Amino acid sequence: MAPEEESETTGARNTNKTRATTADVGKFIDTVDTSAVRRTDARALLVIMAQETGQQPVMWGPTIIGFGSYHYRYASGREGDAAAVGFSPRKAHLVIYGLTSPPGVDHVLERLGKFKRGAACIYVNQLADVDLDVLRELVRAGYRHMTGQQGRQNG
């Protein structure tokens, strides 16, 4: 998810839409087209994710709020940076990224509460539907996994 990348095979440059920006996270939450409950939950997620990652929120693209980052490189040579963990307050759900990647996370997800699992994210109707202590555990695990800090303890 890098801003501009050069293909090793063609020399062409690619621009990814989802990259870190300087957009104001608070303004985004205040103006996003969603419910008051979703905005309140988004503000709570800001606090949770900042506490559990030790990182400040950054807008990634126009709609994702990320915490920390990691660098990726595919076998094709394409590489870039992406948010380690993050979320997007959308109309239908809170979409939370980076929590399903750590090995062995399935048993933790079983304790989370009501959510739907996507390929690389989870969908939560509202934070009241999930166990916030389990969510914190998942954020810590996802962040450590994506940033290569598996041996590091929170605290």
Side-chain angles (χ1 to χ4, degrees):
M1 295 193 194
E4 291 187 345
E5 309 169 341
E6 188 169 318
S7 168
E8 290 182 3
T9 55
T10 65
R13 296 191 65 79
N14 298 317
T15 301
N16 288 337
K17 290 186 229 175
T18 309
R19 60 181 183 228
T21 72
T22 58
D24 184 283
V25 172
K27 183 177 180 181
F28 167 68
I29 291 173
D30 289 343
T31 60
V32 68
D33 184 19
T34 190
S35 69
V37 169
R38 186 89 64 241
R39 282 190 291 279
T40 299
D41 283 352
R43 288 184 193 99
L45 268 177
L46 280 177
V47 172
I48 290 169
M49 289 191 156
Q51 288 174 340
E52 300 306 326
T53 65
Q55 301 295 312
Q56 292 299 309
V58 173
M59 291 299 303
W60 285 77
T63 63
I64 297 174
I65 300 167
F67 296 80
S69 65
Y70 70 98
H71 189 77
Y72 63 86
R73 181 180 177 99
Y74 297 127
S76 66
R78 184 174 175 89
E79 64 182 289
D81 297 301
V85 295
F87 70 95
S88 184
R90 301 204 177 141
K91 275 190 178 186
H93 307 280
L94 284 169
V95 184
I96 308 174
Y97 302 97
L99 309 187
T100 62
S101 300
V105 77
D106 289 339
H107 74 281
V108 181
L109 285 167
E110 289 173 0
R111 297 185 286 120
L112 181 59
K114 185 179 174 185
F115 73 96
K116 293 180 184 176
R117 185 174 184 165
C121 62
I122 64 170
Y123 301 93
V124 174
N125 288 331
Q126 56 186 357
L127 287 183
D129 292 339
V130 299
D131 182 318
L132 295 182
D133 290 332
V134 175
L135 180 63
R136 286 177 177 277
E137 183 179 347
L138 288 164
V139 169
R140 285 191 304 270
Y143 178 77
R144 286 193 307 258
H145 176 74
M146 298 309 291
T147 61
Q149 299 178 24
Q150 289 88 352
R152 187 180 209 180
Q153 295 298 314
N154 186 34

